[in-house]
Amino acid sequence: MNKSTYITKEGMESLQNEVQEIWEERKVVTQAVSDAAAMGDRSENAEYIYGKKKLREIDGRLTYLRRRINTLKVFDQKVDDTRAMFSAYVTFKDQTNREMTLRLVGPDEADIKKQSISIASPIGKSLLNQSVGDAIEVITPAGKKVFTILKVKY
C-alpha cells in the first residue's frame, strides 16, 4: 500500500497516545507472563503461552508504530481555502443533493466514523486538489457518482 508521509497534528497525537497505551498494556502482560512462568511447567501453561503470544502482538504493533511515526511529517502548511488539499474539511453534495462533509487525511488516521477519509481512497483522490464549485466523477464500489464541492474549510 502506498502510504502518505503526511499526517495531521491530531493524527500524530493519536498515534503517540496509542504507543503510550500499548506500553502500559505491555507492562501488565509482562507481569502476567512472569507470574505464569513462576507456576512451573510452561509447556502446558495456557496463561504463559497466551501471554507470550500477546507480547509478540504488542511488540509487533509497537515496532510498526515507532517506524511509522519516524517517517511521518505533521502537515501544517498554509493552504488556499478554495481548494481541497490535505487536512481540509470538504463539504460536497451528490446527485440526490445529499450533503456530506469529510476531512481529507492520510491512511493512518482515516476513520469514516470520525468523518475522515484517506487521500488514497477513490473519493479522497477525486476530491484532492479540486476547487469549490467543481463537479467530480468518482467510481465507487456502488458505481459511478458525481459530487459537487460546496465548501472547503481548514
Side-chain angles (χ1 to χ4, degrees):
M1 174 189 250
N2 184 12
K3 292 196 173 197
S4 169
T5 58
Y6 291 107
I7 192 166
T8 64
K9 180 181 172 191
E10 300 87 359
M12 180 62 84
E13 289 170 359
S14 177
L15 290 180
Q16 291 168 335
N17 288 339
E18 183 180 352
V19 167
Q20 290 304 316
E21 291 168 8
I22 291 173
W23 268 113
E24 293 304 315
E25 179 185 8
R26 190 180 193 290
K27 290 176 189 175
V28 172
V29 173
T30 300
Q31 184 59 50
V33 168
S34 178
D35 293 346
M39 290 184 205
D41 186 10
R42 296 178 187 171
S43 66
E44 294 183 20
N45 187 332
E47 291 171 4
Y48 177 81
I49 294 168
Y50 172 76
K52 292 295 281 184
K53 180 181 177 207
K54 185 72 176 164
L55 277 176
R56 284 191 298 276
E57 291 170 2
I58 289 170
D59 289 343
R61 182 68 179 161
L62 281 171
T63 300
Y64 169 79
L65 287 172
R66 281 196 213 120
R67 286 181 181 159
R68 189 67 181 139
I69 286 170
N70 287 336
T71 63
L72 293 170
K73 297 174 193 129
V74 175
F75 186 84
D76 63 353
Q77 298 176 5
K78 300 277 188 221
V79 290
D80 180 359
D81 282 349
T82 63
R83 296 185 66 82
M85 304 296 286
F86 186 87
S87 82
Y89 293 90
V90 182
T91 302
F92 56 94
K93 66 179 179 178
D94 62 12
Q95 304 96 299
T96 65
N97 285 327
R98 187 181 79 150
E99 285 189 24
M100 182 182 294
T101 300
L102 295 174
R103 187 173 192 194
L104 298 175
V105 297
D108 295 287
E109 55 187 320
D111 184 350
I112 198 65
K113 293 175 189 168
K114 295 180 181 177
Q115 295 181 305
S116 58
I117 189 168
S118 172
I119 58 172
S121 71
I123 294 174
K125 281 181 189 176
S126 297
L127 291 173
L128 200 59
N129 295 316
Q130 300 300 317
S131 298
V132 173
D134 285 353
I136 56 170
E137 288 186 9
V138 182
I139 305 298
T140 69
K144 186 168 91 173
K145 307 251 183 198
V146 177
F147 299 120
T148 303
I149 299 176
L150 303 174
K151 183 168 78 171
V152 175
K153 183 178 120 185
Y154 289 89

